[in-house]
Amino acid sequence: MTASAPVSALDALVARMALTIPAGWEFGLERMHRVLARLGDPHLRIPPPIHVAGTNGKGSVTAHLRAMLEASGRTVHVFTSPHLVRFNERVRVSGRLADDAMLVEAIERAEKANAGEPITFFELTTLAAFLLFAEHPADVTLLEVGLGGRLDATNVVRDRLTSVITPISIDHEKFLGSTLTAIAAEKAGIIERGRPVVASPQVDEVVAVLERAAARAGVPLALGGRDWTATAEDGRLIFHSERGLLDLPPSRLLGAHQVINAGTAIAALEASGLGIDAAAIELGLGRVDWPARMQRLTAGPLVDLVPGAEVWLDGGHNPGAGAVIAATLADLGRRAPRPLVMVSGMLETKDPVGFFRPFAGLAERVACVPVQGDHPGRAPEALAEAARAAGLTAGVHGSVEAALRAITATGPTSPRVLICGSLHLAGEVLRENGMLPE
C-alpha cells in the first residue's frame, strides 16, 4: 500500500473542522444568511447559477453540464459534495480544482465572520465556495445541493439560469421524510419564482409535487419523458424536445441511467437560454468524467490483487442507485459474461437491503467490509446479514484488500468485481489504488 502523504495545511484545517463542528446536518438558512451578510453577500455576486437537486444522478448531471459548457468555450465554477479523495474536489474555480491556499484562506475568512457561533461543516464549505466564486471570473456556476433542497445551504442563491431536479427516490428519511411526497417537496424547494425548472423522468406522485411547486413559482415544468426524451438507439443518444431532435454519440459514462442524466443536462442547457449548440453537446458527451460512477479500474495496487478480473467502482448507496447499477451490470453481463462478485461497505444511515435486492440472482456473493465516513459505518457483520436478507450469499472481511485477496484465493475465475455501497468507500479505494481525481 502507498505511504501516507504529509498532512497539508488544508488537511489540518479540514480535520480540525471535522473534530470541532458537530457531525451531520442541521437544516435552516438563518446561519447562512447571517454569515453571508457579514461577508458582503458574495452569493449575490457569483456567475449565474444552475442549481441541481435530486436523490440520484446530481453529480452525473452536473458533470455532463460542466463538460458541455466547457466544450462550448464557457468558463465554469462547480460546487459538489462529498469529495472522494481530496477536499479540493468540492470546489472547482474557473475550471480548475481550487488549490489548498485558496481554500484555507476562504474557509478561515468564513470562520472569522461566523465569530464562533453555531454552524455546520457543509455550511462553512459552501460559504468558502461562494467567496471564491464571487472573486474569480466565470460564465456559469454549477451548484449541487448537499441534502434536500428547501433548507440546504446552497439554497440562498438567486436568479438561477435553471433549477434541475434529478430522479427522486427514498433516501435520507431521517432528514427529508419517509415518503416520496415529503422528499420531493424538500427537493422542489430550489425552484425559484419566474426561473425555468427541468426534471428528469419521475414517478407520478413526485410529478404531482413538482407540478404544484412549479405552478406556485409561475413557471412551467420541463419534465423528462413528457416534455423531452433521451433514449439509446443503435449506439446513439437521441434527445428530443419541442426545439427538435439531436442525434448524438453516447455519453462517456456507462449505464442506461446516464442516458437520462445526459438528457437532463441537455434539457437544462436548453432551458438556460445560453445557446449551447449541438457540436458542444456532442463534444461534452465524449469528454465527461465523474469518478466512482461505474468507473473501470484497470491498473493500480488494488487491481493487481485480482489478476484477470474486471474491476468496477461505484459510490451509489441507496435503493435507487442499487437498481441502476444492477441494471448496468446485467446488461454488461449479457454482452460480456463474467461471474459477478461484489465488495461492499455502507454507512449506518443507508438501507442495505433495498440497495442489495436488485443484485439477487445477479451476483454470486458479497464481500462485506468496514467503511469510515461522516456517519458511523455499518458493521460488516450487520451488512452481511442485510445482504442475506436481500437474497445474496455474503461474507465478512477486514478491508477491501482482504476481500480482493480472498476473491483471488477462492474464485471464481476471471470475475467481474464491483466495489460499491458508499462514496466514502469509493474514496478509500481510489486513494489506495493511487488515483487522484483532477
Side-chain angles (χ1 to χ4, degrees), residues 275-360:
I276 308 300
D277 62 22
I281 292 171
E282 180 167 339
L283 196 56
L285 287 168
R287 290 179 176 176
V288 62
D289 180 58
W290 194 229
R293 280 74 175 181
M294 283 308 296
Q295 179 181 3
R296 175 81 183 273
L297 307 183
T298 57
L302 290 180
V303 176
D304 292 343
L305 296 175
V306 277
E310 186 180 287
V311 182
W312 296 85
L313 178 67
D314 198 289
H317 47 255
N318 56 45
V324 297
I325 298 167
T328 302
L329 268 297
D331 179 66
L332 194 58
R334 285 188 291 270
R335 292 186 283 112
R338 283 179 182 245
L340 176 63
V341 179
M342 300 169 67
V343 177
S344 186
M346 197 169 287
L347 298 184
E348 186 66 42
T349 53
K350 304 305 176 184
D351 172 10
V353 177
F355 177 84
F356 284 132
R357 192 171 285 120
F359 293 94

Side-chain angles (χ1 to χ4, degrees), residues 159-219:
D159 300 328
R160 296 161 175 82
L161 290 170
T162 319
S163 295
V164 183
I165 312 290
T166 68
I168 293 175
S169 60
I170 296 292
D171 196 18
H172 296 296
E173 298 98 313
K174 177 181 176 182
F175 303 102
L176 305 180
S178 58
T179 66
L180 279 177
T181 299
I183 293 170
E186 292 296 324
K187 309 286 187 183
I190 70 165
I191 297 174
E192 183 177 5
R193 173 159 292 279
R195 297 290 172 171
V197 55
V198 170
S200 304
Q202 308 282 351
V203 299
D204 289 347
E205 58 190 298
V206 170
V207 172
V209 174
L210 299 184
E211 288 281 18
R212 287 195 295 271
R216 286 194 298 270
V219 294

Side-chain angles (χ1 to χ4, degrees), residues 422-434:
S422 167
L423 284 169
H424 297 284
L425 179 67
E428 292 175 22
V429 168
L430 291 174
R431 186 180 300 108
E432 290 294 331
N433 206 47

Side-chain angles (χ1 to χ4, degrees), residues 32-49 77 106 109-110 113 123-136 141 143 156-158:
M32 287 294 296
H33 284 300
R34 179 190 74 223
V35 184
L36 285 165
R38 294 173 184 173
L39 292 169
D41 288 325
H43 64 301
L44 302 182
R45 293 181 280 111
I46 66 174
H77 295 326
R109 262 196 290 164
E123 287 167 340
L124 271 181
T125 305
T126 307
L127 289 164
F130 285 149
L131 283 169
L132 294 174
F133 294 167
E135 294 166 359
H136 292 82
T141 301
L143 291 178
V156 294
V157 295
R158 300 179 190 169

